[in-house]
Amino acid sequence: MAASVQHTQGTGLVYDERLARHFHAWNEDFTEKPERILEPFARCQALGLVNRCCRIQARPATESEILILHSRDHIRLLKETSSMSEEQLKNLSQMYDYIYFHNHIYKSAQLALGGAIDLVDHVVTGRLRNGMAIIRPPGHHAMKEEFNGYCYLNNVAVSAKLALDNHNLKRILIVDWDVHHGQGIQSFFYDDPRVIYFSIHRYEHGIEWPHLRESDYDCVGVGAGRGYNINVPLNQVGCDNSDYLSIFQQILLPVAYEFRPELVIVAAGYDSAIGCPEGEMKVTPACFAHFINLLSPIAAGKICLILEGGYCTESLSEGVALSLRALLGDPCPRIEKTHQPCLSVMETILNVLKVHRQYWPSLCYQGVLSLGEKPSIPSLLRLPPAPGMTLRTIGKKLGEMPLLQDCYDVTEHDMVKEALCQQIDDLIRSTDLHIPKHKVSLVYDGKMLLHHDTTSGGFEENPDRLIQICKNLKDQNLWDRCFHVQGRPATEEELKLVHREDMVKKVKKCQNMQEDTLAKFQTLFKSVYLCQGTYEAASYAVGSLLNIVDAVVTREAESGVAVIRPPGHHAESDSMMGFCIFNNVAIATKYAQKHHNIGRVLIIDWDVHHGNGTQSTFYTDPSVLYISLHRFESGCFYPNGGCGALNRVGYEEGTGYNVNVPWSGGVMGDGDYIAAFQQIILPIAYEFDPDLVLVSAGFDATCDDHMGGYRVSAPCFGHMTSMLKGLAGGRIVLALEGGYNLENTSEAFASCVAALLGDPCTQLPPLTPSSRGVECICEVLDTFVCCFRGVGCICEVLDTLVCCFRGVECICKVLDTLFCCFRGVECICKVLDTLVCCFRGVGCICKVLDTLVCCFRCVECNARCLTHLSVVSGAWSVYGRCLMHLFVVSGAWSVMQGA
């Protein structure tokens, strides 16, 4: 029977009321009940989601489809339940673990499986972009010829196998976030390298059902499938958003980007949600939308969610609805700021990395040292099982089971049920589900073309940059899909939010200067050209960006892009430099905080050059988190000197709120930038919990841009943009900075706009970071450890010196020059080390010398700060550095990282 589809594109939805016909006839309180689909569907209707979906009518799976994984005896026995008496159903139920049979169970299981198969088929073939199946009974525990755990036919596994066979797919990623391990899915694909099975489940060293030895982290697959089975066992209850997001960031996303699946299927169990008595976890309903947002750039957005568990109907219903909402492209609801994951989860992550790093180069953030060193968590030296545990194994018969099996401790749950229900109600009421009228606002004004080089100096920053971007947006049919905002000039008061009055007046005077005077005037600044139209163009760049901020902050639009020039992130409060006149993004940040009462602003600067002006503007400000990914080359790349160094972490109250990712050596590409997002940017950003995200969107790191020399692809910028959409309720504004290969810059900008509009991201090739990229990421993490966990922070001394000298332009330039020149001179480093030892008793000189040593010897210094993990077991050994805990007292980062 062919599926009945109402539309030909969009988000698919499978739901059929016939799936509510079966129930537990002799236990009315059994948790697997019809309300599990009735109430989530009602919630989706209440939020207006159902009518926005492409409905797929469930149909019975055929026997040939079922036989692709299940045996004939399995089907025969399930079919026979349709005519059994209640006594026969009871007797049969006692032969299996946590199973009840009903006269309608066979037809329900057929319908559920048929709906799942058709949903996957429509997504794989491109008739639908993504979709969700609100179905029951669940399926991920069902084996080839064994019913268990409320499961009869394995919906996810059969759908995946048919996709492999019928559509010749080569790679499928199955993510199982149900709180129970899906041993059925695992067993079907345990030796198959075409399928990654990734399961995050409650385990408690085997105490939690299904009590299987095969559910632990060291069960990685067999034969060709080794490394493709990834179990993440949670060994304590109460794991929350922070714990789950850390697992996504540290393990799932790196592996997924390296594996490059053609399809993602989620075994979507919501028993990990707060309030579920079987899970006892604390994931909020809104967090599931964030999971989907993180997975959405993968597989060109081809994601199918198939309902598994979830037994608190309130949190289940909300989790399902917010998941469907995310698939439809609505902004992710904000969640509470994250915190340091619990020790048990950190131990699990380390253990997973320990056994899987040999299969996945993307999990390569651990070094190799001597065998004698011990980890900070002693249990990392052992392999499962935990001492004293008696565990089951897959396929071993259990004998007769009790007719009534308790799914959880009813008495204990009743004691906390009222408080949990209240907490869920509070979460639902406080979750902002407002959808702005417009998806993306865009600003452009021809006035910004007035700024041009009149001296034939060959400057790469020219009006053609904007012309090409606008043309490409129109060619790709993105221009008309945006809400266009009128440009305007900034007022002098707005410019003075960041810049000194005398600087604003200097720029304004350009309007009345003759060309020969302008030519002389511009030589006073570093890499800047000026003309009579400079002030008007630069003023329009700022004012136009402020109008976009207005549209996004007032929720007229969900996000915004500013096609503006001249760029701004190099501009200091008192000086122009690096093609930059006024600091557009810095002014926009101050403006949002002053005029819209925005509290915390995250600035991501992915221009290939360090945004020295933006950094200095907010260096002591804890309300602004500035993160810059830039080419540094040990201070020898523009803007030169040490401003973009690792140890520039902020000062005074701003300590910890300035994060530099300074690439040095090698040619960085997609793998390095995606890795930096996963390992550094996302964990810190989720903990910062911004109210607004501003991106200094420079595209000079793209391929064939001779100003940058890197190889970041245009689609990669779309992926980075998509990852940021989970922050600040989707309030993201991109402001053009650099980018001088006209074709690639316009393509990269278009990728970002498409991502904000909700279009699928172009699939990237398999990604792993380069060795130099890994080194840099580790150094960034080590620097944070060194700065924030040390008693006398070396960085504070350095920042004090920088602060003192900052006002003296001549001294500052000398220091920057010396920094650049002397970093590579080993002799000077040795002299300084010697002097430090000699002058140790002289406090002031010692601090200065220690600071210089930090400047000149940072790589060696950081290397000494590392903690290392070495593991030996039997015939094999795994070496790895322990995960560092980026910990900052009083409000900075406590996120756990793979350093």
Side-chain angles (χ1 to χ4, degrees), residues 64 80 117 202 206 249 307 327 334 371 626 671 693 811 828:
S64 62
E80 288 175 357
I117 290 171
R202 179 179 172 184
Q249 294 155 0
L307 181 63
L327 290 173
R334 292 183 68 172
L371 293 175
Y626 177 67
V693 178
I811 295 176
I828 292 177

Side-chain angles (χ1 to χ4, degrees), residues 625-731:
L625 171 60
Y626 177 67
I627 305 179
S628 175
L629 300 94
H630 53 272
R631 185 174 178 183
F632 186 58
E633 305 301 347
S634 302
C636 295
F637 193 76
Y638 192 90
N640 303 109
C643 61
L646 292 167
N647 51 27
R648 301 299 174 92
V649 298
Y651 180 61
E652 293 180 342
E653 291 183 0
T655 300
Y657 294 88
N658 195 88
V659 181
N660 284 322
V661 184
W663 308 117
S664 291
V667 177
M668 301 303 161
D670 293 359
D672 304 297
Y673 275 71
I674 294 296
F677 264 68
Q678 295 163 353
Q679 300 295 320
I680 300 171
I681 293 176
L682 290 179
I684 294 178
Y686 266 99
E687 185 170 352
F688 181 64
D689 185 27
D691 301 307
L692 176 66
V693 178
L694 293 173
V695 180
S696 277
F699 299 101
D700 34 10
T702 58
C703 304
D704 300 323
D705 191 311
H706 73 278
M707 292 286 286
Y710 278 0
R711 296 175 183 165
V712 182
S713 70
C716 184
F717 288 98
H719 282 254
M720 294 189 293
T721 301
S722 184
M723 291 184 198
L724 295 175
K725 287 168 64 177
L727 301 169
R731 294 179 179 178

Side-chain angles (χ1 to χ4, degrees), residues 8 162 367 495 587 630 700 755 793 817 857:
T8 57
L162 286 169
L495 298 176
I587 295 170
H630 53 272
D700 34 10
C793 178
T817 302
R857 300 296 298 275

